[in-house]
Amino acid sequence: MGVTPTGAAVLAIDAGNSKTDVALIGADGSVLGTGRSGGFQPPRVGVETAVDVLGQAVAEAAEAAGLPRLRPGAPYAAQVSACLANADLPVEERQLADAVSARGWGAATEVRNDTFAILRAGLPAGEAPRGVAVVCGAGINCVGMLPDGRTARFPAVGMISGDWGGGGGLAEEALWWAARAEDGRGGPTELAVALPGHFGLGSMYELIEALHLGSLGRRRVHELVPVLFAVAAAGDPVASSLVERQADEVVAMASVALERLGLLAAEVPVLLGGSVLAAGHPQLNDRIGALLARRAPLARVSVVAAPPVLGAGLLGLDALGAPPGAHGKLRAHFG
């Protein structure tokens, strides 16, 4: 298995929209150093600036590992395994792989969508990379993988690629229904009181005004997702319908991925990740389990609690042909 003079085999990178985690991993699966930086958003800031953000976390991990400053021709690790948000299309993965490789952090570089990190992190120890993962955080995505390298995936770039929901989508839907409830275009819902109330405002009109004029930053809209779930749990029909539709979307993506890989009738893990699914809302997760049992009765549904950077690290060890003990040691570190 490849290793550099620094003693690092894998530089694992998990980069989401809100944060980046990096781990330098030895050939035996030990974690030599970790780093964290901000979100990875190449569509907003450009590829090079986005990769600069990754570099901040890489530098922090290298310092924590006691590694010398990077020099040309002397990479930190044998393999860079980067699972990145916004690497939604194969062409984007190739572009980002070129940009990351150019930094010289590893002798070899592989870039995947960040959903693959959730999938690999959640697979039971000792099992081959075989299963499906659905991530519902700021957005929604789904990937599947077989041991022979075949995958199933979706473009997952929003409404134009047929996606619905995720934290951002749920918040927008909640605002839409609440606005119409207040002005009379729609039926009643407690969302019309709960959403502005979360920000200390007295009406949807005030909330709409604050968002439109900028006195309340649009980035704070994501705070409304837990409010939506609380209103749904209290029995509000409109809020409940949104939660149920999100469950339906998760099951639709997972079922299609399973079917593409010939796994609908197989005993296979279906892994749920991202902030919305990891929150464990019974109304959402129980419905996912019940609906998926009808489509794929042998599927084993579970929520991934491990950090996604573990998945990126395991994928890197896979690429280097690491022994099972290295995988186990890495898993033990991240608990």
Side-chain angles (χ1 to χ4, degrees), residues 118 134-139 271-280 284-285 303-306 308:
I118 296 288
V134 182
V135 174
C136 188
L271 306 162
L272 308 180
S275 58
V276 174
L277 294 172
L284 175 65
N285 291 21
V303 175
V304 178

Side-chain angles (χ1 to χ4, degrees), residues 28-46:
D28 63 350
S30 59
V31 175
L32 308 177
T34 62
R36 173 168 285 189
S37 59
F40 184 72
Q41 300 181 4
R44 187 173 67 85
V45 302

